[in-house]
Amino acid sequence: MRIGLLTEGGYPYVSGDARLWCDRLVRGLEQHEFDIYALSRSEHQEDEGWVQLPPQVGRVITAPLWTAEDDGVVYGRRARRRFAELYGELAAALCEGTVGDTSGESSVTEADRFANALYGLAELARDEGGLVGALRSDTAVRALERACRAAGARQTARAARVPELLAVAGHLERALRPLSLDWYEDDGLGAVDVCHATSGGPAALPGLLAHHFCGVPLLVTEYGVRLRTHYLADTESPPAVRSLLTAFHGRLATETYRRAAVVTPGNTHARRWQERCGADRAKLRTVYPGMDATRFTEVGESAECVDADTLVWVGRVEPAKDLISLLHAFAEVRKEESKTRLRIVGAPTGPEGAAYLGHCKALAAQLFPDEAEGLHAVGDNPVRFEEIGGPEVPTLADAYASGAVTVLSSVVEGFPITLVEAMFCGRATVSTDVGAVVEVIGGTGLVVPPRNPKALAEACVTLLRDPERRERLGAAARARALELFTVEQNITAFHSIYLEIVSHTPVRRVVLDNTGEPLPFAAPAEAHVPGRWTEHSTRVVARGGPGWAAGPPVRATPPFAAPEGATG
């Protein structure tokens, strides 16, 4: 079958989210054909280029989310009036109701109102040639203002002033850019059997439109729920801006879950968020991320460690990882086990991470003055800050092998990848109870409350003093990781889901004979089974459009349109 893979800020670019698991999925399902529709986040990401693509990728079409040139479309009076009505309806759906509440008749009405306005804007963009200019116009800002001042609008929306309205209108313009793409034709996304959005938000929007215009079933995968990401990221905007943007992302998530044939959260933590936004439990299938276990095989099959008195922390250095609590916990550990050492292996993320790393180093120097065995010896701090690739930890596997216990001290965590890597290495773990940690560990490690250095220290001391227990927990952790979190289980799960979706989807293509007459029952059941079962002696028309022939990967010309001949 042909899969339309929808990405945002990731695959097939060299850098970005979801790049690794998407590449593993495509390479693992070589019996299927993939068309990749990618939204990029920055010019730098585009300049870095793509990863090497396997032969099962038929074509790649890209469009930027970071910029949009004026499409030059000039609306007539009727189109301007239609746009004002639809945008006003969209804005009204954001200003009224309770955000995140999917129960009750009022919530259903607002969800329908949002959906009707969204698809109406998409149809207007299709008829008129784009929405870029209209979304940037004064008409959009005035329609948003009227919605905020209308009776029944939330107090936070009514408090919005001109700067807040302009900020919200600018965000909506960026978020709605996929509506102006030319991807939703019979020779584009209309030619695929399944649209697979690799995240919610902007990546799922083209899938919604392909479902609306062409009836293509949609599969949505979320390893990190976009609505949750928005809640955590938008902490500095004024209350009116946060309220309206949260409502938009919440309504979009609700519509995405409602229209999707199947939704695959990466863990129970993400699943709860999706259910809260209205996802039908019957549609949910938990599919854990697939990770490459081979690079940890040597360490995992060996019970030995470099230093039985060493704790190891691995990850990105940022405030959410709460290394401050870890350092205070380690100070308590040193009171009980004076020989214990702590290795913090990771690199900072951005300026905030670099500043946080400097703060952590200063705290470590304050808590643990350099210790020397004699008066004339050079002291050695028990806390070491290192990065992968150094002489002591040349590889990620070496980092986990360098200690007896791996520690995770986060206060915010989605799916804890470093925890799974430690499990592949057969290491006992001590973790804070955040995100999907308990689900991942499953009883093979110790879990303590976040922001509790004393509890974290007690758990570490317990394992440091009991090598037999460490070995048992490490072996159980490795067995659990190999069963649930490998690439093979991930690929097998998605292959089954693809077949399930197609088996429940009516045939959308009409097969014509040489005279142009339809042939009933001409699409055999084997049409969706890997392999070439029939000769191409008939002509296939999708919703009355022309057939599609696979060609080499192409890249769309910014901002939104593929070059002539790229999509046909």
Side-chain angles (χ1 to χ4, degrees):
M1 69 182 71
R2 180 174 296 145
I3 310 298
L5 200 63
L6 311 176
T7 69
E8 184 248 326
Y11 193 70
Y13 294 104
V14 171
S15 62
D17 301 336
R19 174 180 57 85
L20 290 176
W21 80 261
C22 287
D23 188 56
R24 292 165 181 163
L25 176 68
V26 173
R27 293 183 183 279
L29 294 176
E30 59 183 9
Q31 67 270 43
H32 299 308
E33 299 176 11
F34 286 86
D35 294 343
I36 300 174
Y37 291 79
L39 299 169
S40 64
R41 286 182 180 167
S42 66
E43 185 176 12
H44 175 71
Q45 184 180 50
E46 292 192 357
D47 291 341
E48 285 185 316
W50 301 344
V51 299
Q52 185 176 0
L53 298 173
Q56 54 265 37
V57 175
R59 61 178 175 177
V60 177
I61 298 179
T62 69
L65 282 179
W66 49 276
T67 184
E69 298 178 1
D70 193 341
D71 50 21
V73 176
V74 179
Y75 284 3
R77 181 180 302 176
R78 180 178 299 178
R80 288 198 303 271
R81 185 167 57 250
R82 177 65 174 157
F83 172 78
E85 293 173 355
L86 292 170
Y87 194 90
E89 283 292 297
L90 184 79
L94 306 184
C95 295
E96 300 177 7
T98 303
V99 179
D101 183 9
T102 59
S103 61
E105 183 178 351
S106 175
S107 178
V108 174
T109 301
E110 294 304 322
D112 290 337
R113 191 177 191 181
F114 175 86
N116 292 335
L118 182 69
Y119 297 130
L121 288 172
E123 291 168 359
L124 180 64
R126 196 181 202 188
D127 295 338
E128 299 296 330
L131 280 176
V132 175
L135 291 172
R136 293 176 173 177
S137 66
D138 293 339
T139 302
V141 179
R142 287 196 295 268
L144 180 61
E145 183 180 20
R146 285 194 298 270
C148 290
R149 306 288 184 262
R154 294 191 306 276
Q155 181 63 39
T156 51
R158 290 200 298 269
R161 297 295 180 259
V162 173
E164 287 85 0
L165 293 173
L166 292 174
V168 173
H171 181 93
L172 293 180
E173 184 271 324
R174 291 188 294 274
L176 296 175
R177 284 173 185 172
L179 271 61
S180 298
L181 297 174
D182 60 351
W183 292 357
Y184 318 112
E185 302 296 336
D186 294 329
D187 57 350
L189 284 174
V192 303
D193 296 303
V194 176
C195 279
H196 185 176
T198 59
S199 69
L205 192 50
L208 286 176
L209 300 187
H211 177 73
H212 176 73
F213 287 123
C214 307
V216 180
L218 173 63
L219 165 64
V220 178
T221 296
E222 284 189 307
Y223 288 123
V225 178
R226 292 303 299 271
L227 180 60
R228 174 181 178 271
T229 302
H230 172 75
Y231 274 119
L232 296 175
D234 190 8
T235 58
E236 299 181 357
S237 299
V241 176
R242 288 202 306 271
S243 175
L244 291 170
L245 295 186
T246 297
F248 172 78
H249 289 290
R251 301 291 185 208
L252 180 59
T254 298
E255 178 62 16
T256 299
Y257 301 148
R258 183 168 67 164
R259 299 298 179 187
V262 176
V263 180
T264 57
N267 51 72
T268 302
H269 181 65
R271 185 183 183 117
R272 287 196 295 267
W273 273 85
Q274 292 167 343
E275 290 182 359
R276 186 69 179 84
C277 290
D280 185 356
R281 290 186 178 184
K283 295 181 178 180
L284 296 175
R285 311 278 193 279
T286 300
V287 179
Y288 295 115
M291 299 175 59
D292 182 13
T294 56
R295 54 180 173 165
F296 305 110
T297 300
E298 184 177 352
V299 175
E301 292 179 350
S302 173
E304 299 179 359
C305 63
V306 174
D307 189 344
D309 295 320
T310 297
L311 302 175
V312 176
W313 180 95
V314 180
R316 299 189 309 271
V317 178
E318 56 188 6
K321 303 303 182 181
D322 198 15
L323 295 179
I324 301 299
S325 290
L326 175 61
L327 290 171
H328 283 290
F330 184 62
E332 297 296 321
V333 172
R334 292 276 294 181
K335 294 177 182 178
E336 301 293 332
E337 298 291 331
S338 59
K339 294 182 179 180
T340 308
R341 311 188 73 79
L342 172 64
R343 304 183 76 163
I344 296 177
V345 183
T349 55
E352 184 182 22
Y356 187 69
L357 177 60
H359 181 60
C360 291
K361 288 182 177 180
L363 179 61
Q366 179 182 357
L367 291 175
F368 311 103
D370 289 346
E371 302 172 356
E373 296 181 358
L375 294 176
H376 304 289
V378 178
D380 183 20
N381 195 296
V383 180
R384 298 184 62 178
F385 293 86
E386 303 169 271
E387 292 187 23
I388 301 296
E392 297 293 331
V393 283
T395 67
L396 195 56
D398 293 324
Y400 294 109
S402 64
V405 179
T406 299
V407 185
L408 183 144
S409 55
S410 303
V411 293
V412 176
E413 194 75 52
F415 186 86
I417 293 177
T418 57
L419 209 55
V420 177
E421 292 172 343
M423 293 168 70
F424 281 136
C425 292
R427 289 298 179 265
T429 59
V430 175
S431 313
T432 48
D433 186 6
V434 293
V437 165
V438 172
E439 181 181 2
V440 168
I441 289 296
T444 66
L446 304 187
V447 180
V448 300
R451 298 190 189 277
N452 192 331
K454 184 177 181 180
L456 191 65
E458 290 177 352
C460 291
V461 170
T462 298
L463 292 183
L464 287 170
R465 290 177 174 176
D466 194 341
E468 292 185 0
R469 187 180 184 187
R470 288 202 312 265
E471 186 175 350
R472 289 197 306 270
L473 289 176
R478 175 167 167 77
R480 178 176 175 82
L482 291 175
E483 179 185 1
L484 297 178
F485 307 125
T486 61
V487 175
E488 291 75 17
Q489 67 82 23
N490 183 272
I491 292 173
T492 300
F494 278 118
H495 177 62
S496 299
I497 290 171
Y498 289 160
L499 294 178
E500 176 189 349
I501 292 175
V502 170
S503 68
H504 289 87
T505 303
V507 176
R508 297 178 292 106
R509 294 175 177 81
V510 179
V511 180
L512 307 179
D513 61 16
N514 294 330
T515 63
E517 295 296 324
L519 291 175
F521 310 107
E526 296 90 341
H528 294 296
V529 177
R532 303 298 183 183
W533 296 92
T534 58
E535 295 182 0
H536 298 285
S537 58
T538 56
R539 190 157 51 96
V540 178
V541 177
R543 295 177 58 88
W548 181 86
V554 298
R555 180 177 181 175
T557 302
F560 299 116
E564 183 178 355
T567 59

